[in-house]
Amino acid sequence: MHFTATADTDIGISKSTNQDSILIRQSGYDGGEVLLAVVCDGMGGLAKGELASATVIRAFDKWFDNDLPYELVNVDMNVIGGKWELMLKSLNIDIGEYGDSCHISLGTTFTGILFIKDRYLIAHVGDTRVYYIGDKMNQLTSDHTFVAREIRRGNMTPEQAKHDRRRNLLLQCVGASASIAPQILEGKTAKGVYLICSDGFRHEITEEEMLASLALDTLNGKKAMHEKACYLIDKVKERKEKDNISVVLIKAE
């Protein structure tokens, strides 16, 4: 598989800082490609959310340089997924202890995807999402939120969840939870578009609008990908989204 990736982030219309952090790393491997993409949404209502998101991003950037080369000797996505889970649990403890020592509360979501040739691995904590866009939109991750849990239990409809005052209430995040249980997913990479976005990107636009703008045949190169992402970000801001807005687009072909 060949991957083309772009990332865009915007402070939005009301925040004084952008607490989102993004990472994209890419290299060649055995006649194919390796790509790592991560979006972390620092918790807007908590102090120093930008510090929490940047701390996690730096850890995975360092992992790409120092640890990934050893994993590529004998690739096993299950093993990498287990190590990512341990990394996130360790970061949760470290960030939590830092917050306790400073008498502040800080945390971040984490959603990362690793492509190695024709396989992908996803690790996920919080409500940042990964979508696969082919003929339709397919949400790969499950939100760790109160409303998502209530929908799964049959206590709330998706339409009710959109307007519920608790829609941003997270059940777990890195740094502000006593413990976390990351969602780990593995699969075969398909031709199409993989989208990672913070909740600020998706609250004010529909999946139909995302599909219309981000279909594979409309994304001809990085310039077009960037333009489409910026178009959607501007639309979100026009609709008065107050959160930071971040999106990563990965075209697989």
Side-chain angles (χ1 to χ4, degrees):
M1 302 294 287
H2 171 65
F3 302 103
T4 305
T6 62
D8 290 279
T9 187
D10 195 287
I11 195 171
I13 65 171
S14 65
K15 300 273 180 133
S16 59
T17 59
N18 189 342
Q19 297 185 328
D20 292 354
S21 296
I22 295 174
L23 173 68
I24 296 179
R25 296 292 307 273
Q26 190 169 8
S27 68
Y29 162 68
D30 192 26
E33 294 183 19
V34 177
L35 186 143
L36 170 66
V38 180
V39 175
C40 290
D41 179 357
M43 307 321 298
L46 303 178
K48 294 193 175 180
E50 67 274 18
L51 175 60
S53 64
T55 297
V56 176
I57 287 290
R58 283 195 296 270
F60 276 80
D61 188 39
K62 183 178 179 181
W63 176 88
F64 190 91
D65 286 330
N66 297 340
D67 295 76
L68 178 61
Y70 296 100
E71 303 294 344
L72 294 178
V73 174
N74 183 21
V75 176
D76 188 326
M77 289 298 213
N78 286 324
V79 170
I80 297 173
K83 291 180 178 179
W84 275 18
E85 182 173 359
L86 291 175
M87 281 179 64
L88 289 167
K89 289 181 175 180
S90 178
L91 285 161
N92 182 58
I93 293 170
D94 291 345
I95 294 171
E97 289 179 348
Y98 170 79
D100 290 343
S101 70
C102 299
H103 306 290
I104 60 174
S105 184
L106 68 166
T108 182
T109 69
F110 174 91
T111 303
I113 187 165
L114 175 69
F115 296 94
I116 301 180
K117 298 180 78 171
D118 65 345
R119 304 292 298 178
Y120 71 77
L121 171 73
I122 295 171
H124 166 71
V125 179
D127 64 352
T128 299
R129 290 181 178 175
V130 178
Y131 289 93
Y132 168 71
I133 306 172
D135 296 330
K136 60 182 181 179
M137 293 284 297
N138 182 20
Q139 183 182 336
L140 300 182
T141 52
S142 299
D143 295 345
H144 297 143
T145 61
F146 172 83
V147 295
R149 184 184 67 185
E150 293 307 293
I151 291 171
R152 289 191 291 269
R153 291 177 173 177
N155 297 330
M156 186 181 293
T157 67
E159 187 60 30
Q160 288 172 327
K162 289 179 184 179
H163 305 287
D164 193 284
R165 59 184 176 81
R166 298 162 295 182
R167 72 174 186 176
N168 294 324
L169 179 60
L170 291 178
L171 299 180
Q172 59 174 319
C173 67
V174 181
S177 296
S179 63
I180 59 172
Q183 181 184 22
I184 306 293
L185 303 168
E186 183 189 346
K188 183 175 176 59
T189 305
K191 180 180 178 181
V193 178
Y194 291 83
L195 162 69
I196 313 176
C197 63
S198 62
D199 63 329
F201 179 81
R202 60 179 170 78
H203 278 156
E204 299 299 332
I205 55 174
T206 65
E207 291 188 359
E208 290 75 19
E209 288 175 309
M210 286 191 272
L211 179 61
S213 292
L214 303 176
L216 179 65
D217 58 3
T218 70
L219 302 180
N220 299 313
K222 283 192 175 185
K223 182 179 179 181
M225 294 168 70
H226 171 69
E227 289 173 348
K228 292 297 182 68
C230 289
Y231 165 77
L232 290 174
I233 288 172
D234 288 342
K235 187 175 290 292
V236 168
K237 292 166 67 178
E238 288 169 7
R239 295 175 183 175
K240 307 304 180 184
E241 170 60 52
K242 294 180 172 59
D243 204 354
N244 304 142
I245 307 162
S246 294
V247 58
V248 171
L249 292 174
I250 302 159
K251 182 178 179 182
E253 55 189 341

